[in-house]
Amino acid sequence: MSHAVQHLRESGHLGRFYIDGGWREPDGQDRACVINPATETAIAEIPLGSSGDVEAAVSAARRAFSGWSRTEPATRAALLSRVHALLLERAELIAQALTAEMGAAITYARRAQVPLAAEHLRVARDNLADFAFVSQRGSTAILREAIGVCSLITPWNWPLYQITAKVGPALAAGCTVVLKPSELSPLSALLFAELMDEAGCPPGVFNLVNGTGPVVGEGLASHLEVDMVSITGSTRAGVLVAQAAAPTVKRVAQELGGKSPNIVLPDADLARCVPLGVAAAMRNLGQSCSAPTRMLVPRDRLRDVEALATAAAGEFVVGDPLLEATTHGPIANRAQFERVQMMIEAGIGEGAKLVTGGPGGPAGIASGFYARPTIFSEVRREMLIAQEEIFGPVLAILPYDTVEEAVEIANDTVYGLGAHVQGTEMDAVREVASRIRAGQVHLNAPDWDPNAPFGGYKRSGNGREYGREGMEEYLETKAVLGFYS
């Protein structure tokens, strides 16, 4: 049994929700199993929230809002600092929870999933040090005030990371929140609720209700007392949340799907940028909305790229996520595994060149939702694998003849979340980046920046997360004329 599951069982928190500063028995009777994707076995059972649970959580958040929104920024920063410290103290337990609930390789959970999540809390805390909640424009005061009660809906692929990316800035802004994590990966969320409780979060400021999208998600999105919804998920899920929220005219921030391009310019150092591009496309086993899963390369260098990409994929070790040598564990759940397999078959059926990988799982693995890292080449822009988000370890290599054509191909998608550009001449790299319709562009594989705003154009969503812009998303603007007269 996972240490995380054992811990939650012994604490009694596994079968409860965190509402109004305490652990509450669920109102409804529905339950769901948490499946370990490495073994395909149930490792825990959690309650699924009802309309009564939603009502209790929203009511608690509403009662707490008046007091929390009027606290000093230093008070909110102090809470975030305590939560940040506790998260780092419990890093190993949370990493094990992530491996158990969604299959992240334990080394990746330790190296990326947990520490990057902690960074969102640190940034939210640090932004409070000098943020101008009141500014002057002539005789008018411009006030930035907390928007109110926020429902936060988070996905299964980066469970803790997306929780902190929303909870941190929302609490920093002075909002109160109700969190609905994915029912497929709820363990890390329960552990995070424990941290909030131990850090001394005031009752009602942070609340957690597990449940399904149609019941808890829609209930939160449509609730009259919820002022804002922030969702990270598929474009389909984002549309449903926006529709549910529309009658109450609440703000909806959406971080949705992506089909990010990686433009390899003609002067790029292939030996460096191709392996980095393959690694980026398949980080978290490709289960990242901003993963650069379309690599655009000069046609006359296509064969060299194929060889380098194949070698890079050959370095991956797919297998038991608890082993230190494993770089990539299983796909997080059965439904996603089946979609990945379907898309690989679609790529073969459309005539793309299968360079490495393919359908099925790695040799020697009898159970678990394991997929083979797969690379297609000679992909055309109209192919399904070039247009639809696959959300698995599948990379499409598309050749181009001119840089102008590469930019056109990069923008030829309904998405606009992220993009990469790689080349030697920086003026050319920057110029290409300026023409890509995406919310975040990476030049020559830079380090991750938790202060860089993140969000999409087109059907990749609206609003921004991370950094100062992430906190501003949870603020209203009030003008007070004559304030300085």
Side-chain angles (χ1 to χ4, degrees):
M1 180 190 299
S2 162
H3 292 307
V5 174
Q6 183 176 356
H7 166 86
L8 288 168
R9 283 182 177 167
E10 291 175 352
S11 69
H13 300 159
L14 187 62
R16 298 180 181 180
F17 302 143
Y18 187 77
I19 298 175
D20 205 16
W23 292 93
R24 166 184 168 134
E25 293 290 335
D27 180 66
Q29 300 301 313
D30 291 342
R31 298 289 188 272
C33 288
V34 180
I35 305 298
N36 183 329
T39 62
E40 303 182 48
T41 59
I43 57 173
E45 185 179 80
I46 61 163
L48 298 176
S50 66
S51 59
D53 297 309
V54 169
E55 189 62 40
V58 173
S59 296
R62 176 54 62 193
R63 289 192 299 271
F65 174 68
S66 178
W68 180 250
S69 63
R70 292 180 176 274
T71 55
E72 291 295 322
T75 300
R76 304 197 291 271
L79 174 63
L80 291 169
S81 188
R82 294 193 296 273
V83 179
H84 177 258
L86 285 168
L87 193 157
L88 294 178
E89 287 178 15
R90 308 281 172 81
E92 179 61 24
L93 184 66
I94 296 172
Q96 291 182 26
L98 292 163
T99 296
E101 69 186 356
M102 54 77 60
I106 189 64
T107 52
Y108 191 72
R110 291 167 178 159
R111 186 181 76 250
Q113 293 256 9
V114 175
L116 298 187
E119 280 294 277
H120 290 312
L121 296 174
R122 181 192 64 78
V123 168
R125 176 199 67 194
D126 292 352
N127 280 336
L128 286 168
D130 60 359
F131 188 83
F133 287 95
V134 180
S135 60
Q136 182 175 355
R137 190 177 300 165
S139 63
T140 296
I142 309 297
L143 278 57
R144 304 304 306 279
E145 298 180 339
I147 194 170
V149 175
C150 300
S151 63
L152 312 177
I153 301 173
T154 55
W156 49 259
N157 59 317
W158 285 83
L160 181 69
Y161 177 93
Q162 287 296 339
I163 288 171
T164 58
K166 297 182 190 298
V167 172
L171 297 190
C175 296
T176 57
V177 305
V178 180
L179 170 68
K180 190 208 91 65
S182 170
E183 68 275 21
L184 300 176
S185 55
L187 306 179
S188 54
L190 291 168
L191 294 174
F192 181 78
E194 290 185 344
L195 305 184
M196 294 298 301
D197 186 63
E198 292 181 39
C201 182
V205 170
F206 169 87
N207 306 274
L208 180 150
V209 178
N210 278 312
T212 64
V215 177
V216 176
E218 185 174 340
L220 289 170
S222 61
H223 202 288
L224 291 171
E225 291 295 327
V226 169
D227 301 292
M228 174 181 169
V229 184
S230 176
I231 176 173
T232 297
S234 67
T235 298
R236 176 181 173 275
V239 169
L240 292 173
V241 164
Q243 289 172 338
T248 51
V249 199
K250 57 172 59 75
R251 183 180 300 173
V252 179
Q254 303 163 311
E255 195 265 280
L256 308 176
K259 193 68 179 176
S260 300
N262 179 2
I263 300 179
V264 178
L265 295 177
D267 69 343
D269 177 1
L270 296 186
R272 174 183 184 273
C273 69
V274 172
L276 287 173
V278 172
M282 298 191 186
R283 69 178 183 271
N284 203 38
L285 208 64
Q287 299 168 126
S288 297
C289 49
S290 61
T293 54
R294 293 183 298 147
M295 184 180 288
L296 282 55
V297 305
R299 191 178 301 276
D300 61 0
R301 308 187 78 184
L302 185 58
R303 299 296 171 250
D304 291 337
V305 170
E306 290 174 354
L308 288 165
T310 300
E315 295 295 315
F316 299 152
V317 179
V318 179
D320 184 346
L322 289 174
L323 296 179
E324 295 285 335
T326 298
T327 61
H328 295 71
I331 297 290
N333 54 74
R334 180 179 296 277
Q336 190 56 38
F337 172 79
E338 291 175 351
R339 172 169 172 76
V340 170
Q341 296 300 315
M342 181 271 288
M343 292 298 289
I344 292 173
E345 294 285 3
I348 294 171
E350 289 182 310
K353 177 183 178 182
L354 182 61
V355 175
T356 189
I365 298 180
S367 63
F369 306 133
Y370 292 95
R372 301 165 66 191
T374 297
I375 298 175
F376 287 103
S377 185
E378 298 179 12
V379 176
R380 301 185 304 276
R381 68 167 84 180
E382 69 273 11
M383 288 181 175
L384 200 65
I385 57 172
Q387 289 294 325
E388 290 199 14
E389 185 176 44
I390 299 174
F391 228 59
V394 182
L395 173 65
I397 301 176
L398 293 81
Y400 67 82
D401 294 305
T402 66
V403 172
E404 184 69 31
E405 182 190 15
V407 172
E408 183 182 319
I409 294 171
N411 289 329
D412 185 19
T413 170
V414 298
Y415 300 111
L417 189 56
H420 291 232
V421 183
Q422 303 192 73
T424 301
E425 175 49 53
M426 283 306 299
D427 285 343
V429 171
R430 296 186 189 103
E431 196 277 333
V432 169
S434 71
R435 297 163 63 193
I436 296 176
R437 300 283 294 169
Q440 192 176 89
V441 184
H442 294 230
L443 308 184
N444 288 322
D447 292 336
W448 177 72
D449 181 0
N451 281 293
F454 179 71
Y457 288 23
K458 300 185 282 187
R459 296 187 196 176
S460 287
N462 55 64
R464 291 296 180 268
E465 294 189 307
Y466 313 172
R468 187 173 295 258
E469 289 78 6
M471 185 172 73
E472 289 174 341
E473 203 67 39
Y474 296 92
L475 296 171
E476 288 280 26
T477 300
K478 177 188 287 184
V480 184
L481 286 68
F483 188 92
Y484 294 103
S485 59

